Amino acid sequence: MEQELTKKTNILEGSSPVSLDQLPQQDYNILNLGPTHPATHGIFQNVLKMDGEKIIDAEPTIGYIHRAFEKIAENRPFYQVTTLTDRLNYCSSPINNMGWHMTVEKLLGVKTTKKVDYMRVIIMELARISDHLICNSVLGVDTGALTGFTYVFQLREKIYDIYEEVCGARLTTNIGRIGGMERDFTPKFWQKLKEFLDEFPKIFNEFDSLLTRNRIFFDRTKNVGGISAERALNYGFTGPNLRATGVDYDVRAMNPYSSYQDFEFEVPVGETGDCYDRFLVRNEEIRQSIKIIEQAMKNMPEGRHFVDVPEFYLPPKQDVYTKMEALIWHFKIVMGEVDVPVGEVYHSVEGGNGELGYYLVSDGGRQAYRLHFRRPCFIFYQAYPELIKGSMLSDAILTMSSLNVIAGELDA
Amino acid sequence: MSNVKLVDTPNGHAGEGYFATSLDKVIGLARANSIWPLPFATSCCGIEFMATMASNYDLGRFGAERLSFSPRQADLLMVMGTIAKKMGPIVRQVYLQMAEPRWVIAVGACASSGGIFDTYSVLQGIDKVVPVDVYVPGCPPRPEQIIDGILKIQELVKNEPLRRRNSEEYKELMASYGIM
Amino acid sequence: MQNITNTLEINHSYILERIRERIGINLLEFDHPYDILTITINKECIIDLLLFLRDDEILKFDFLTDICGIHYPNNKHREIGVIYHLHSLINNIRLRIKTFASSEDPTFLTASLIYASANWMERETYDFYGAIFQGHKDLRRILNMDEMNYFPMRKEYPLQDGTRTDKEDKYFGR
């Protein structure tokens, strides 16, 4: 009996995958968590094998909002794919939009100007801030601290206001165009951005001081849902979740796109890869993003907000009404009658959750022959059973929200 | 104190020390201003719903402060986001678990009609599986629109006759969804 | 990562040469569209190649970025393809590997024993294209419903399934 018990505890504490055959099956309960469980923020189903309050094994089921993005992308002209990318990781849609634009530009061989790049950087970093804010504040909610969430949503509303100034939408932005931005930033935009940057430190520091050194929060998140760097790489982790384990892989630094090489920023890393480290890494990334935005504001070059890609960049409306050529291009773009070069291109950007890759195969037609999204959530979520094995049920909830799994990105 | 707003008094007879009106109206008034919504958030619209609940828009102002995460105690099912065919039966099951009287609001284009996702895997509107009272358009709708949808639901709740749920018409509607 | 400097310059021709030299795999095709070296190999060789690339002390392609499927209905006997993207984080170089099989017998070898991340990527490829990964422990549908009886991303299947009712012609002026 005693032997049995030690064997059992050994299994529970070991990091190796648990073999269920060694234990009598009737000891376990099966608990179905989700897909509509309120604590999971999205539709994730996990069938948990429980020993009392401890999780022995988990079987995730996904696909509850599978929307067939990749199939739709094969049936739409390129500029209509932007609206699909919005809905991948809807917490940071501008990054997805611009990642797609850059992919097409790479295929067409278009080189964007510094002005376009810097404008994009500002929007993308704002998106990163809003993504990390929502993740960290919801992590607070899951530990029982709703206050931080209400603070942070003020900031998010400010970011939404800025988006609205640029593109008119709040969440699914469809921001920018292939070849640049739709219009130049208005004075009102700069004013709003300045206001945001002025107010940001105060609200964010309050949020930070509410949680970071909070004993309850610390105890709930430290050593919960940790993973080693080696396992994380094996599981294909990228983004903040990988950096929390101590690997400094950031696409922005490693394969700079959109002139990220011009900016000074640090890539924060954690040590243990647990929930607390993920929280800290995200918080620090928010600060670094602010730094990048400030640099981009300071060094914003003069020039046009788009480059010459008549096949994809809609001509100005007044030209469409007065000039024959502009009218023809407008018609061709809107009807999707533009041919593209044959080729295959992989482009990746640092999305909110990691390396967001676009693998585009073009056969020269008007639509993509194949478009595959490398969705970071989909890839790292498969480590979830391993992360929560041996932990308590309430820790599993925290682990999920600190991973920041977004259902739209997970299920495509 | 000055900010406290009272609901309008329903039509009735008032006199010294008494006020008489029909029970319908009193119950409708009480129900409409204390709706317990069940957020069934699946995707993008769910994030806008979070914004609706958060500090700037504050849905709590309309008596819907208390989210009921258990369908058993909820009055209003708010379906927000794409419902895939895999998810359809679950929406229906949640609806069946709710007690009468129950209302349903479809927030966003996907929940209302499938939206831009006219694909093999997406349910083309939740009204294929459950009856819907209010549709909120938008992809995603702004928080103001979501609040407007809630206000529309409040109108419905306020003016619903007490016997509606026993009527033949209602039973027919339920039967058309296979709900007995 | 970037500051780890290599005295040896690792370029595409070096990678090709090293693969040929060390394991003698028959490279059917190679190309470098948009700066990513792309090689096509026989599907039987994929495990050997992945293992070699991961363990090689110079190349160190130790990060599996992605696996996805593709369907070319007009390529006889090579209809279903599986495409691997590898990334050498040390050298910061990417590599794309393609393998093909016929649609009658779309069997491939699983990479899930080498990379844990390949598990769901292969399930997704199976779900979309019907590519069967031999040796995969749990090859089931992942995104679509279990009852689905076709592989929706193959080119012959349509996007819509005709259940939409609000797309009436009168709304579109037809």
Side-chain angles (χ1 to χ4, degrees), chain A residues 209-276:
Chain A
S209 55
L210 264 175
L211 293 180
T212 309
R213 306 285 292 167
N214 183 323
R215 191 73 227 177
I216 302 171
F217 183 76
F218 184 81
D219 285 349
R220 285 291 309 274
T221 52
K222 193 71 196 156
N223 295 326
V224 169
I227 187 167
S228 69
E230 198 187 338
R231 286 303 287 165
L233 283 171
N234 201 261
Y235 267 118
F237 274 49
T238 43
N241 298 334
L242 177 67
R243 291 193 282 277
T245 66
V247 182
D248 60 344
Y249 173 49
D250 186 321
V251 186
R252 289 176 295 171
M254 200 144 156
N255 300 309
Y257 51 91
S258 192
S259 298
Y260 265 110
Q261 68 275 13
D262 297 0
F263 300 98
E264 281 281 317
F265 65 99
E266 279 160 28
V267 179
V269 291
E271 276 174 1
T272 53
D274 58 10
C275 292
Y276 190 65

Side-chain angles (χ1 to χ4, degrees), chain B residues 56-134:
Chain B
N56 266 37
Y57 293 93
D58 192 13
L59 191 61
R61 293 177 294 163
F62 304 100
E65 177 82 57
R66 201 278 192 187
L67 295 184
S68 166
F69 285 109
S70 160
R72 303 277 181 202
Q73 295 147 13
D75 306 311
L76 170 65
L77 175 65
M78 297 182 77
V79 182
M80 294 164 286
T82 317
I83 301 297
K85 283 181 183 152
K86 206 171 176 178
M87 198 68 180
I90 295 157
V91 178
R92 192 183 149 88
Q93 197 183 357
V94 168
Y95 181 76
L96 290 179
Q97 285 176 358
M98 290 167 67
E100 291 277 16
R102 54 194 167 183
W103 291 271
V104 180
I105 174 167
V107 176
C110 289
S112 305
S113 73
I116 62 171
F117 300 107
D118 184 4
T119 65
Y120 59 87
S121 64
V122 175
L123 191 68
Q124 302 299 311
I126 58 162
D127 49 9
K128 298 267 191 295
V129 287
V130 293
V132 178
D133 293 283
V134 170

